[in-house]
Amino acid sequence: MAPRLIIAGGGLSGVLAAVALAAARPGLELTLLEAGPSLGGNHTWSFYGSDVAGAAARLVDPFVAHRWDGYDVRFAGLDRTFSTPYRSLTSTRLDRLARDALGARVRLEAPVAALDADGATLADGTRLDADAVIDARGATALAGVTLRWQKFLGREVRLARPHGLSRPTIMDARVPQIDGYRFVYLLPFSADTLLIEDTYYSEGRQIDAAALRARIDDYAAARGWRILETIREEKGALPLLLAQDFEAMWVDAAPAGGAVPIGLRAGLFHPVTGYSLPVAARTAAALAALDGPLTSQRLRREMARIARQHAAQSGFGRLLNRLLFLAGQPDNRHTVLARFHTLQQPLIERFYAGALTRRDRARILLGKPPVPILAALRALPERRLQPAG
Ligand SMILES: Cc1cc2nc3c(=O)[nH]c(=O)nc-3n(C[C@H](O)[C@H](O)[C@H](O)COP(=O)(O)OP(=O)(O)OC[C@H]3O[C@@H](n4cnc5c(N)ncnc54)[C@H](O)[C@@H]3O)c2cc1C
Protein backbone atom coordinates (compact mmCIF):
# COMPACT_ATOMS: atom_id res chain seq x y z
CA MET A 1 0.00 0.00 0.00
CA ALA A 2 1.24 3.52 -0.79
CA PRO A 3 2.33 5.49 2.29
CA ARG A 4 -0.35 7.95 3.40
CA LEU A 5 0.51 11.46 4.60
CA ILE A 6 -1.91 14.05 5.94
CA ILE A 7 -0.89 17.69 6.23
CA ALA A 8 -3.38 19.77 8.23
CA GLY A 9 -3.20 23.46 7.31
CA GLY A 10 -2.67 24.80 3.80
CA GLY A 11 -0.81 27.96 4.78
CA LEU A 12 2.80 28.76 4.03
CA SER A 13 4.55 25.86 5.79
CA GLY A 14 1.89 23.28 4.90
CA VAL A 15 1.89 24.17 1.21
CA LEU A 16 5.70 24.21 0.94
CA ALA A 17 5.95 20.83 2.71
CA ALA A 18 3.19 19.35 0.54
CA VAL A 19 4.75 20.51 -2.72
CA ALA A 20 8.25 19.36 -1.70
CA LEU A 21 7.13 15.94 -0.43
CA ALA A 22 4.82 15.29 -3.40
CA ALA A 23 7.71 16.01 -5.78
CA ALA A 24 10.20 13.88 -3.80
CA ARG A 25 7.86 10.88 -3.34
CA PRO A 26 5.68 10.35 -6.41
CA GLY A 27 4.00 7.29 -4.85
CA LEU A 28 2.88 9.17 -1.74
CA GLU A 29 -0.83 9.32 -1.00
CA LEU A 30 -0.93 12.91 0.22
CA THR A 31 -3.90 14.88 1.53
CA LEU A 32 -3.60 18.58 2.32
CA LEU A 33 -6.49 19.74 4.50
CA GLU A 34 -7.25 23.46 4.61
CA ALA A 35 -10.09 25.05 6.56
CA GLY A 36 -10.35 28.12 4.31
CA PRO A 37 -11.58 28.54 0.73
CA SER A 38 -8.05 28.87 -0.71
CA LEU A 39 -4.45 28.00 0.15
CA GLY A 40 -2.26 30.58 1.88
CA GLY A 41 -4.90 32.96 3.24
CA ASN A 42 -4.29 36.66 2.53
CA HIS A 43 -0.57 37.40 2.78
CA THR A 44 2.45 38.87 1.12
CA TRP A 45 5.51 36.92 2.30
CA SER A 46 8.88 38.50 1.69
CA PHE A 47 12.45 37.36 2.24
CA TYR A 48 16.01 38.31 1.39
CA GLY A 49 17.54 36.40 -1.50
CA SER A 50 20.43 35.51 0.84
CA ASP A 51 18.06 33.79 3.31
CA VAL A 52 17.54 30.60 1.32
CA ALA A 53 19.89 28.47 -0.78
CA GLY A 54 19.98 25.11 -2.53
CA ALA A 55 16.86 22.94 -2.44
CA ALA A 56 14.95 25.47 -0.29
CA ALA A 57 15.60 28.25 -2.84
CA ARG A 58 14.54 26.01 -5.73
CA LEU A 59 11.34 25.11 -3.88
CA VAL A 60 10.31 28.72 -3.22
CA ASP A 61 11.40 30.24 -6.51
CA PRO A 62 8.30 29.40 -8.65
CA PHE A 63 6.06 31.05 -6.04
CA VAL A 64 7.94 34.37 -6.14
CA ALA A 65 5.67 37.06 -7.57
CA HIS A 66 8.01 40.08 -7.26
CA ARG A 67 11.81 40.37 -7.39
CA TRP A 68 14.09 43.32 -6.72
CA ASP A 69 17.87 43.67 -6.85
CA GLY A 70 18.17 45.59 -3.60
CA TYR A 71 16.36 47.55 -0.93
CA ASP A 72 16.59 50.79 1.03
CA VAL A 73 16.45 51.70 4.71
CA ARG A 74 15.83 55.25 5.92
CA PHE A 75 16.45 56.60 9.40
CA ALA A 76 17.07 60.16 10.59
CA GLY A 77 20.66 60.69 9.47
CA LEU A 78 20.95 57.36 7.60
CA ASP A 79 19.82 56.68 4.06
CA ARG A 80 21.25 53.40 2.80
CA THR A 81 20.77 51.14 -0.23
CA PHE A 82 21.67 47.46 0.02
CA SER A 83 22.28 45.26 -3.03
CA THR A 84 20.87 42.11 -1.33
CA PRO A 85 18.07 40.71 -3.55
CA TYR A 86 14.57 40.97 -2.08
CA ARG A 87 11.63 38.71 -3.03
CA SER A 88 7.91 38.57 -2.33
CA LEU A 89 5.39 35.76 -2.63
CA THR A 90 1.69 36.46 -2.80
CA SER A 91 -0.93 34.11 -1.44
CA THR A 92 -2.83 34.35 -4.76
CA ARG A 93 0.13 32.95 -6.67
CA LEU A 94 0.89 30.34 -4.00
CA ASP A 95 -2.73 29.17 -4.13
CA ARG A 96 -2.82 28.92 -7.94
CA LEU A 97 0.52 27.15 -8.43
CA ALA A 98 0.17 24.78 -5.47
CA ARG A 99 -3.31 23.75 -6.57
CA ASP A 100 -1.97 23.13 -10.11
CA ALA A 101 0.84 20.97 -8.66
CA LEU A 102 -1.21 19.06 -6.09
CA GLY A 103 -4.59 18.76 -7.83
CA ALA A 104 -7.10 16.53 -6.01
CA ARG A 105 -4.69 16.08 -3.09
CA VAL A 106 -5.85 19.51 -1.83
CA ARG A 107 -9.09 19.57 0.16
CA LEU A 108 -10.36 23.09 0.81
CA GLU A 109 -13.00 24.05 3.36
CA ALA A 110 -12.08 20.90 5.27
CA PRO A 111 -11.54 22.08 8.86
CA VAL A 112 -9.79 19.58 11.09
CA ALA A 113 -11.30 19.01 14.54
CA ALA A 114 -8.60 16.71 15.94
CA LEU A 115 -5.22 15.32 14.91
CA ASP A 116 -3.06 12.48 16.17
CA ALA A 117 -0.08 10.52 14.91
CA ASP A 118 -2.37 8.10 13.02
CA GLY A 119 -4.81 10.43 11.31
CA ALA A 120 -7.21 13.35 11.33
CA THR A 121 -10.83 13.80 12.34
CA LEU A 122 -12.59 16.47 10.30
CA ALA A 123 -15.12 18.86 11.79
CA ASP A 124 -17.89 16.90 10.05
CA GLY A 125 -16.78 13.74 11.89
CA THR A 126 -15.01 12.05 8.95
CA ARG A 127 -11.96 10.07 10.07
CA LEU A 128 -8.92 9.90 7.76
CA ASP A 129 -6.16 7.43 8.68
CA ALA A 130 -2.52 7.95 7.74
CA ASP A 131 1.00 6.68 8.36
CA ALA A 132 2.29 10.19 8.95
CA VAL A 133 0.46 13.34 10.08
CA ILE A 134 1.84 16.88 9.97
CA ASP A 135 0.26 19.75 11.89
CA ALA A 136 0.73 23.00 9.91
CA ARG A 137 -2.27 24.84 11.33
CA GLY A 138 -0.30 28.03 12.04
CA ALA A 139 0.06 30.25 15.07
CA THR A 140 -0.82 28.87 18.47
CA ALA A 141 0.07 29.76 22.05
CA LEU A 142 3.54 28.24 22.45
CA ALA A 143 4.61 27.04 25.89
CA GLY A 144 7.85 28.16 27.53
CA VAL A 145 8.31 31.41 25.57
CA THR A 146 8.35 35.11 26.38
CA LEU A 147 7.19 37.20 23.44
CA ARG A 148 6.82 40.74 22.18
CA TRP A 149 5.31 41.67 18.82
CA GLN A 150 5.97 43.07 15.39
CA LYS A 151 2.51 44.21 14.37
CA PHE A 152 1.40 45.93 11.22
CA LEU A 153 -1.37 46.84 8.87
CA GLY A 154 -0.60 47.02 5.16
CA ARG A 155 -2.60 48.52 2.31
CA GLU A 156 -1.87 47.71 -1.30
CA VAL A 157 -2.81 50.97 -3.00
CA ARG A 158 -3.10 52.38 -6.49
CA LEU A 159 -1.76 55.92 -6.81
CA ALA A 160 -2.83 58.73 -9.12
CA ARG A 161 0.76 58.99 -10.44
CA PRO A 162 3.87 56.76 -10.41
CA HIS A 163 5.53 56.62 -6.98
CA GLY A 164 9.04 56.68 -8.42
CA LEU A 165 10.37 53.79 -6.28
CA SER A 166 12.41 51.08 -8.00
CA ARG A 167 13.04 48.87 -4.94
CA PRO A 168 11.48 48.17 -1.54
CA THR A 169 12.02 50.36 1.48
CA ILE A 170 12.30 47.84 4.29
CA MET A 171 12.23 50.45 7.01
CA ASP A 172 11.41 54.15 6.76
CA ALA A 173 11.73 55.13 10.40
CA ARG A 174 11.54 58.88 9.78
CA VAL A 175 7.99 58.84 11.13
CA PRO A 176 6.69 59.76 14.60
CA GLN A 177 7.76 57.01 17.02
CA ILE A 178 4.53 55.67 18.55
CA ASP A 179 3.88 52.44 20.50
CA GLY A 180 7.52 51.29 20.45
CA TYR A 181 9.69 51.28 17.33
CA ARG A 182 7.60 52.41 14.37
CA PHE A 183 8.48 52.33 10.69
CA VAL A 184 6.82 52.22 7.29
CA TYR A 185 7.56 49.33 4.90
CA LEU A 186 7.09 49.86 1.16
CA LEU A 187 6.92 47.28 -1.64
CA PRO A 188 6.60 48.76 -5.13
CA PHE A 189 4.62 46.17 -7.12
CA SER A 190 4.28 48.27 -10.29
CA ALA A 191 4.83 51.90 -11.34
CA ASP A 192 1.66 53.06 -9.62
CA THR A 193 0.84 50.29 -7.12
CA LEU A 194 2.51 49.91 -3.76
CA LEU A 195 2.13 47.99 -0.51
CA ILE A 196 2.41 50.48 2.36
CA GLU A 197 2.69 48.87 5.80
CA ASP A 198 2.61 50.78 9.06
CA THR A 199 4.67 48.65 11.48
CA TYR A 200 5.46 48.61 15.21
CA TYR A 201 7.89 46.70 17.44
CA SER A 202 5.61 46.74 20.41
CA GLU A 203 4.85 45.22 23.83
CA GLY A 204 1.26 44.33 22.89
CA ARG A 205 -0.29 42.64 19.86
CA GLN A 206 -3.48 44.73 19.61
CA ILE A 207 -3.89 46.65 16.34
CA ASP A 208 -6.02 49.77 16.06
CA ALA A 209 -6.80 49.22 12.39
CA ALA A 210 -8.53 52.59 11.84
CA ALA A 211 -5.58 54.50 13.32
CA LEU A 212 -3.04 52.60 11.19
CA ARG A 213 -5.09 53.13 8.02
CA ALA A 214 -5.19 56.86 8.75
CA ARG A 215 -1.40 56.94 9.40
CA ILE A 216 -0.85 55.31 6.01
CA ASP A 217 -2.95 58.10 4.46
CA ASP A 218 -0.81 60.67 6.29
CA TYR A 219 2.42 59.00 5.20
CA ALA A 220 1.32 58.82 1.56
CA ALA A 221 0.27 62.48 1.61
CA ALA A 222 3.62 63.51 3.12
CA ARG A 223 5.38 61.69 0.24
CA GLY A 224 3.16 63.50 -2.28
CA TRP A 225 1.29 60.31 -3.26
CA ARG A 226 -2.45 60.53 -3.90
CA ILE A 227 -4.17 57.21 -3.18
CA LEU A 228 -6.88 56.38 -5.74
CA GLU A 229 -7.95 53.09 -4.19
CA THR A 230 -6.97 50.40 -1.69
CA ILE A 231 -6.74 47.16 -3.65
CA ARG A 232 -6.34 44.90 -0.62
CA GLU A 233 -5.36 45.03 3.01
CA GLU A 234 -3.45 42.66 5.30
CA LYS A 235 -2.53 42.79 8.94
CA GLY A 236 -0.69 40.65 11.44
CA ALA A 237 1.10 40.48 14.77
CA LEU A 238 4.25 38.43 14.42
CA PRO A 239 5.90 36.92 17.52
CA LEU A 240 9.32 38.21 18.61
CA LEU A 241 11.15 35.92 20.99
CA LEU A 242 12.82 37.24 24.15
CA ALA A 243 13.27 33.97 26.02
CA GLN A 244 12.62 30.31 25.40
CA ASP A 245 12.71 27.05 27.29
CA PHE A 246 13.00 24.78 24.27
CA GLU A 247 12.20 21.50 26.04
CA ALA A 248 9.02 22.95 27.61
CA MET A 249 7.94 24.29 24.23
CA TRP A 250 8.64 21.07 22.36
CA VAL A 251 6.93 18.72 24.83
CA ASP A 252 3.82 20.87 24.52
CA ALA A 253 3.99 21.42 20.73
CA ALA A 254 4.80 17.80 19.82
CA PRO A 255 3.28 15.52 22.47
CA ALA A 256 3.87 11.78 22.10
CA GLY A 257 1.07 10.25 20.04
CA GLY A 258 0.23 13.59 18.45
CA ALA A 259 0.72 14.97 14.94
CA VAL A 260 4.12 16.44 14.03
CA PRO A 261 4.20 20.25 14.12
CA ILE A 262 5.89 22.41 11.46
CA GLY A 263 5.85 26.17 10.75
CA LEU A 264 4.75 28.55 13.50
CA ARG A 265 3.32 25.54 15.39
CA ALA A 266 6.88 24.31 15.87
CA GLY A 267 8.23 27.70 16.94
CA LEU A 268 9.98 28.12 13.58
CA PHE A 269 10.26 31.87 13.05
CA HIS A 270 13.09 34.39 13.07
CA PRO A 271 13.36 35.65 16.67
CA VAL A 272 13.89 39.31 15.72
CA THR A 273 11.61 39.70 12.67
CA GLY A 274 8.94 37.07 13.28
CA TYR A 275 9.38 36.02 9.63
CA SER A 276 9.06 32.32 8.91
CA LEU A 277 9.37 31.87 5.17
CA PRO A 278 13.08 30.95 5.03
CA VAL A 279 12.87 28.37 7.82
CA ALA A 280 9.60 26.99 6.40
CA ALA A 281 11.32 26.46 3.04
CA ARG A 282 14.36 24.83 4.68
CA THR A 283 12.08 22.57 6.72
CA ALA A 284 10.10 21.46 3.65
CA ALA A 285 13.33 20.72 1.78
CA ALA A 286 14.71 18.73 4.75
CA LEU A 287 11.53 16.65 5.08
CA ALA A 288 11.55 15.94 1.36
CA ALA A 289 15.17 14.78 1.56
CA LEU A 290 14.39 12.09 4.18
CA ASP A 291 14.74 8.55 2.93
CA GLY A 292 13.08 5.39 4.19
CA PRO A 293 9.46 4.95 5.26
CA LEU A 294 7.54 8.13 6.02
CA THR A 295 5.91 7.78 9.44
CA SER A 296 4.85 10.22 12.13
CA GLN A 297 7.66 8.83 14.29
CA ARG A 298 10.30 9.46 11.63
CA LEU A 299 8.99 12.98 10.96
CA ARG A 300 8.87 13.75 14.69
CA ARG A 301 12.56 12.87 15.09
CA GLU A 302 13.51 15.08 12.17
CA MET A 303 11.34 18.00 13.34
CA ALA A 304 12.76 17.74 16.87
CA ARG A 305 16.23 18.06 15.34
CA ILE A 306 15.25 21.03 13.16
CA ALA A 307 13.39 22.85 15.94
CA ARG A 308 16.18 22.29 18.49
CA GLN A 309 18.80 23.55 16.06
CA HIS A 310 16.65 26.58 15.22
CA ALA A 311 16.20 27.38 18.93
CA ALA A 312 19.96 27.16 19.48
CA GLN A 313 20.67 29.43 16.50
CA SER A 314 18.05 31.91 17.75
CA GLY A 315 19.75 32.44 21.11
CA PHE A 316 21.59 35.57 20.04
CA GLY A 317 18.44 37.01 18.46
CA ARG A 318 16.61 36.47 21.76
CA LEU A 319 19.38 38.35 23.54
CA LEU A 320 19.09 41.26 21.08
CA ASN A 321 15.34 41.35 21.69
CA ARG A 322 15.88 41.53 25.44
CA LEU A 323 18.26 44.43 24.93
CA LEU A 324 15.81 46.10 22.56
CA PHE A 325 12.68 45.66 24.66
CA LEU A 326 13.97 45.59 28.24
CA ALA A 327 17.04 47.80 28.34
CA GLY A 328 16.05 50.80 26.24
CA GLN A 329 13.13 53.20 26.23
CA PRO A 330 10.41 52.32 23.66
CA ASP A 331 10.64 55.65 21.84
CA ASN A 332 14.41 55.25 21.59
CA ARG A 333 14.31 51.78 19.98
CA HIS A 334 14.76 53.28 16.51
CA THR A 335 18.36 54.27 17.40
CA VAL A 336 19.23 50.59 18.00
CA LEU A 337 17.86 49.65 14.58
CA ALA A 338 19.57 52.62 12.92
CA ARG A 339 22.95 51.59 14.35
CA PHE A 340 22.40 47.99 13.23
CA HIS A 341 21.89 49.19 9.65
CA THR A 342 25.30 50.88 9.60
CA LEU A 343 26.95 47.44 9.83
CA GLN A 344 28.40 45.67 6.80
CA GLN A 345 25.99 44.16 4.29
CA PRO A 346 27.31 40.56 4.52
CA LEU A 347 26.88 40.64 8.31
CA ILE A 348 23.31 41.92 7.97
CA GLU A 349 22.60 39.17 5.43
CA ARG A 350 23.92 36.54 7.85
CA PHE A 351 21.78 38.05 10.62
CA TYR A 352 18.55 37.63 8.63
CA ALA A 353 19.62 34.17 7.42
CA GLY A 354 20.24 33.05 11.04
CA ALA A 355 23.90 32.37 10.25
CA LEU A 356 25.87 34.85 12.36
CA THR A 357 29.46 34.04 13.23
CA ARG A 358 31.02 34.72 16.65
CA ARG A 359 32.82 37.69 15.20
CA ASP A 360 29.51 39.05 13.80
CA ARG A 361 27.94 38.78 17.25
CA ALA A 362 30.80 40.67 18.80
CA ARG A 363 30.54 43.38 16.14
CA ILE A 364 26.83 43.82 16.81
CA LEU A 365 27.29 44.10 20.58
CA LEU A 366 30.56 46.01 20.80
CA GLY A 367 31.14 49.59 19.81
CA LYS A 368 28.50 51.86 21.20
CA PRO A 369 25.22 50.02 21.81
CA PRO A 370 22.63 52.78 22.21
CA VAL A 371 21.13 51.30 25.40
CA PRO A 372 22.10 52.10 29.03
CA ILE A 373 24.74 49.62 30.15
CA LEU A 374 23.20 48.76 33.56
CA ALA A 375 19.77 48.13 32.10
CA ALA A 376 21.48 46.06 29.40
CA LEU A 377 23.22 43.89 31.98
CA ARG A 378 19.93 43.33 33.81
CA ALA A 379 18.29 42.29 30.52
CA LEU A 380 21.00 39.76 29.67
CA PRO A 381 20.09 36.55 31.58
CA GLU A 382 17.46 34.61 29.66
CA ARG A 383 16.63 32.25 32.51
CA ARG A 384 15.13 35.04 34.61
CA LEU A 385 12.45 35.56 31.95
CA GLN A 386 11.52 31.97 31.20
CA PRO A 387 8.07 31.16 32.47
CA ALA A 388 8.18 28.64 35.33
CA GLY A 389 7.05 25.08 34.67
C1 LIG B 1 -0.10 39.45 7.10
C2 LIG B 1 1.17 38.67 7.37
C3 LIG B 1 2.31 38.94 6.61
C4 LIG B 1 3.49 38.23 6.86
N1 LIG B 1 4.58 38.53 6.12
C5 LIG B 1 5.68 37.76 6.25
C6 LIG B 1 6.79 37.97 5.40
O1 LIG B 1 6.81 38.93 4.63
N2 LIG B 1 7.84 37.12 5.47
C7 LIG B 1 7.86 36.08 6.35
O2 LIG B 1 8.80 35.29 6.36
N3 LIG B 1 6.85 35.92 7.22
C8 LIG B 1 5.76 36.71 7.17
N4 LIG B 1 4.72 36.52 8.02
C9 LIG B 1 4.91 35.58 9.14
C10 LIG B 1 4.79 34.11 8.80
O3 LIG B 1 5.63 33.77 7.74
C11 LIG B 1 3.38 33.75 8.41
O4 LIG B 1 2.56 33.93 9.54
C12 LIG B 1 3.24 32.31 7.85
O5 LIG B 1 2.06 32.30 7.10
C13 LIG B 1 3.21 31.24 8.90
O6 LIG B 1 3.15 29.98 8.26
P1 LIG B 1 2.38 28.73 8.87
O7 LIG B 1 2.27 27.74 7.79
O8 LIG B 1 2.99 28.34 10.14
O9 LIG B 1 0.93 29.30 9.21
P2 LIG B 1 -0.18 29.86 8.25
O10 LIG B 1 0.41 30.36 6.99
O11 LIG B 1 -1.01 30.80 9.06
O12 LIG B 1 -1.03 28.59 7.86
C14 LIG B 1 -1.92 27.95 8.73
C15 LIG B 1 -3.04 27.39 7.86
O13 LIG B 1 -3.78 26.44 8.62
C16 LIG B 1 -5.16 26.62 8.36
N5 LIG B 1 -5.89 26.07 9.50
C17 LIG B 1 -5.95 26.56 10.76
N6 LIG B 1 -6.72 25.77 11.54
C18 LIG B 1 -7.14 24.75 10.75
C19 LIG B 1 -7.94 23.61 10.96
N7 LIG B 1 -8.48 23.36 12.16
N8 LIG B 1 -8.16 22.77 9.92
C20 LIG B 1 -7.60 22.99 8.71
N9 LIG B 1 -6.84 24.08 8.44
C21 LIG B 1 -6.60 24.93 9.45
C22 LIG B 1 -5.30 28.14 8.22
O14 LIG B 1 -6.49 28.48 7.53
C23 LIG B 1 -4.03 28.47 7.43
O15 LIG B 1 -4.22 28.40 6.04
C24 LIG B 1 3.53 37.22 7.85
C25 LIG B 1 2.39 36.97 8.61
C26 LIG B 1 1.23 37.70 8.39
C27 LIG B 1 0.02 37.42 9.26
Side-chain angles (χ1 to χ4, degrees), residues 9 11-13 34-35 43-46 112 136 138 152 238 264 275-277:
L12 183 65
S13 65
E34 166 55 40
H43 291 309
T44 312
W45 294 286
S46 301
V112 171
F152 56 88
L238 311 188
L264 294 183
Y275 277 18
S276 75
L277 185 139

Side-chain angles (χ1 to χ4, degrees), residues 286-367:
L287 297 184
L290 289 177
D291 49 19
L294 201 62
T295 61
S296 288
Q297 215 183 8
R298 178 81 184 87
L299 289 176
R300 175 188 310 280
R301 276 203 305 275
E302 179 65 1
M303 283 312 302
R305 185 191 67 76
I306 291 172
R308 186 171 281 111
Q309 187 182 50
H310 180 76
Q313 281 168 347
S314 301
F316 184 72
R318 299 195 295 272
L319 168 65
L320 292 182
N321 280 343
R322 295 197 295 283
L323 291 174
L324 187 65
F325 282 94
L326 306 179
Q329 292 303 314
D331 58 359
N332 208 32
R333 269 177 208 151
H334 64 107
T335 58
V336 179
L337 277 296
R339 177 181 175 272
F340 174 75
H341 284 97
T342 62
L343 296 169
Q344 289 178 345
Q345 179 174 312
L347 183 156
I348 292 177
E349 289 175 352
R350 289 193 290 275
F351 170 79
Y352 286 119
L356 287 174
T357 63
R358 265 169 196 240
R359 179 188 282 237
D360 292 338
R361 291 172 191 180
R363 279 206 68 87
I364 291 173
L365 287 181
L366 297 177

Side-chain angles (χ1 to χ4, degrees), residues 2-347:
R4 298 159 303 169
L5 169 68
I6 289 175
I7 301 181
L12 183 65
S13 65
V15 166
L16 292 178
V19 169
L21 279 155
R25 293 177 179 251
L28 185 66
E29 201 182 288
L30 166 71
T31 307
L32 177 61
L33 299 167
E34 166 55 40
S38 62
L39 298 173
N42 172 27
H43 291 309
T44 312
W45 294 286
S46 301
F47 63 102
Y48 299 94
S50 43
D51 283 353
V52 285
R58 288 192 294 280
L59 172 65
V60 166
D61 195 63
F63 299 114
V64 171
H66 304 281
R67 297 165 196 271
W68 300 273
D69 289 333
Y71 67 91
D72 295 329
V73 295
R74 309 185 79 172
F75 294 85
L78 177 71
D79 234 335
R80 189 166 172 201
T81 299
F82 292 84
S83 61
T84 311
Y86 201 68
R87 311 275 184 250
S88 292
L89 278 65
T90 57
S91 41
T92 329
R93 186 176 173 90
L94 185 86
D95 177 52
R96 182 165 53 80
L97 295 187
R99 279 210 253 171
D100 283 353
L102 298 171
R105 290 173 282 197
V106 176
R107 288 179 58 177
L108 298 173
E109 297 180 327
V112 171
L115 284 178
D116 55 64
D118 304 315
T121 307
L122 303 187
D124 66 6
T126 311
R127 174 72 189 175
L128 303 174
D129 293 325
D131 305 295
V133 183
I134 290 177
D135 185 357
R137 287 176 295 171
T140 184
L142 293 170
V145 297
T146 304
L147 302 176
R148 298 293 186 271
W149 304 95
Q150 182 193 173
K151 61 189 184 189
F152 56 88
L153 181 138
R155 287 164 60 193
E156 187 177 332
V157 295
R158 187 179 313 285
L159 304 177
R161 282 202 299 275
H163 43 68
L165 300 179
S166 57
R167 54 185 170 262
T169 302
I170 301 302
M171 292 177 177
D172 182 353
R174 303 164 311 158
V175 289
Q177 295 298 296
I178 307 166
D179 195 1
Y181 169 49
R182 175 178 174 228
F183 61 93
V184 173
Y185 169 86
L186 302 168
L187 293 183
F189 289 149
S190 72
D192 63 350
T193 61
L194 190 65
L195 178 70
I196 309 180
E197 265 181 19
D198 192 31
T199 308
Y200 303 78
Y201 268 51
S202 173
E203 332 295 318
R205 61 188 304 183
Q206 310 73 21
I207 295 173
D208 179 348
L212 270 62
R213 278 186 206 112
R215 285 178 200 148
I216 290 173
D217 281 332
D218 293 346
Y219 179 84
R223 297 285 303 249
W225 297 332
R226 189 158 68 82
I227 296 176
L228 289 183
E229 60 166 330
T230 297
I231 303 164
R232 54 180 277 282
E233 190 175 285
E234 65 181 59
K235 61 181 180 174
L238 311 188
L240 308 177
L241 203 51
L242 272 65
Q244 178 176 34
D245 173 346
F246 175 78
E247 299 306 330
M249 185 208 81
W250 192 246
V251 164
D252 189 66
V260 183
I262 64 171
L264 294 183
R265 289 249 150 190
L268 294 178
F269 53 88
H270 192 288
V272 183
T273 65
Y275 277 18
S276 75
L277 185 139
V279 62
R282 288 194 287 269
T283 302
L287 297 184
L290 289 177
D291 49 19
L294 201 62
T295 61
S296 288
Q297 215 183 8
R298 178 81 184 87
L299 289 176
R300 175 188 310 280
R301 276 203 305 275
E302 179 65 1
M303 283 312 302
R305 185 191 67 76
I306 291 172
R308 186 171 281 111
Q309 187 182 50
H310 180 76
Q313 281 168 347
S314 301
F316 184 72
R318 299 195 295 272
L319 168 65
L320 292 182
N321 280 343
R322 295 197 295 283
L323 291 174
L324 187 65
F325 282 94
L326 306 179
Q329 292 303 314
D331 58 359
N332 208 32
R333 269 177 208 151
H334 64 107
T335 58
V336 179
L337 277 296
R339 177 181 175 272
F340 174 75
H341 284 97
T342 62
L343 296 169
Q344 289 178 345
Q345 179 174 312
L347 183 156

